[in-house]
Amino acid sequence: MGAIGNFRSAEEKERFIQATFSTIATRYDRMNQVMTFNLDRRWRRKTVQLSGVPVGGEALDVCCGTGELSQALAKHVGGKGRVIGLDFNAQMLAMAREKQEKGRLARQIQFIQGNAMALPFEDNCFDTATIGFALRNVPDYRQALREMLRVVRPGGTIVSLETAKPEVPVLKELHGFYVNGVVPMIDKLSVGQQGPYAWLARSAQAFLPQKDLARVFTELGCQQVSYHNLLGGVVAVHVGVKA
């Protein structure tokens, strides 16, 4: 089973994540831009590029949140393609649907509520399944990846965009200072207490290094597994192909 961290059970972690994202849903996009220096959109575009999803293809965005990665997928597959954004948090989905109603997200995206641990789709439905900045937050990251692999067609891809471990010594030290010092300060100024964002930053530090996550992709049966460091390894995109 994937790491649960300090939680006593997968269920306890799931309840905590639900509450956390319900708390930050209305400010999630703005804080992403602040904490990534507005690089998050570029990272999502790179993720879509690496997914290999064809124009006119079908994509599933797992743990879609407010729909930003779903939007990047929709732009790529075009009007003849299909994108489904799935999330288990009602408040995050409400923000995604509100953005869609205002024309900030493509109308073709279908947002549905569901659990990454048991995706409500038949086998071999999609050309790619993506997950952005969420693999470390699911109760069992191996199970989430298994489900993503199950619903992707043979030759399709599963793709994770996730915070990572910088591999350059100086950048590694700067990253540690940012996560442990700057993020809690931003958290307190924006939310009024040290909580959601500081915890998300700590969970990023506790998650698997790039090579270890690539090994998990291989162990689950993916082929042609690769990872691509962005910003010196602060963020990484992992890609695996279904046999």
Side-chain angles (χ1 to χ4, degrees), residues 123-127 149-157 241-243:
D123 298 353
N124 308 319
C125 292
F126 301 96
D127 296 302
L149 196 60
R150 177 183 65 79
V151 302
V152 165
R153 299 183 179 104
T157 58
V241 178
K242 183 171 180 176

Side-chain angles (χ1 to χ4, degrees), residues 80-206:
K80 294 184 179 179
R82 179 174 73 121
V83 176
I84 293 179
L86 175 142
D87 202 283
F88 79 153
N89 186 274
Q91 284 75 17
M92 295 289 276
L93 285 173
M95 292 302 301
R97 291 177 178 132
E98 179 180 328
K99 288 159 62 177
Q100 192 175 45
E101 290 173 2
K102 293 179 178 179
R104 291 162 56 193
L105 299 180
R107 293 286 183 180
Q108 75 195 77
I109 306 170
Q110 179 185 0
F111 290 108
I112 65 174
Q113 190 166 11
N115 197 320
M117 300 294 95
L119 296 174
F121 307 105
E122 297 181 357
D123 298 353
N124 308 319
C125 292
F126 301 96
D127 296 302
T128 191
T130 64
I131 184 167
F133 299 117
L135 193 59
R136 71 185 188 276
N137 294 324
V138 298
D140 183 342
Y141 59 81
R142 287 178 179 268
Q143 176 61 15
L145 292 172
R146 286 191 198 98
E147 280 292 281
M148 291 168 65
L149 196 60
R150 177 183 65 79
V151 302
V152 165
R153 299 183 179 104
T157 58
I158 64 171
V159 186
S160 170
L161 167 64
E162 187 56 90
T163 52
K165 305 290 192 298
E167 297 178 343
V168 179
V170 175
L171 186 57
K172 185 176 181 179
E173 294 174 2
L174 289 173
H175 182 252
F177 170 75
Y178 178 73
V179 169
N180 295 317
V182 178
V183 171
M185 186 184 303
I186 295 174
D187 193 22
K188 188 173 183 178
L189 290 173
S190 63
V191 184
Q193 60 181 350
Q194 290 193 15
Y197 294 103
W199 180 84
L200 289 172
R202 291 194 300 272
S203 73
Q205 280 196 316

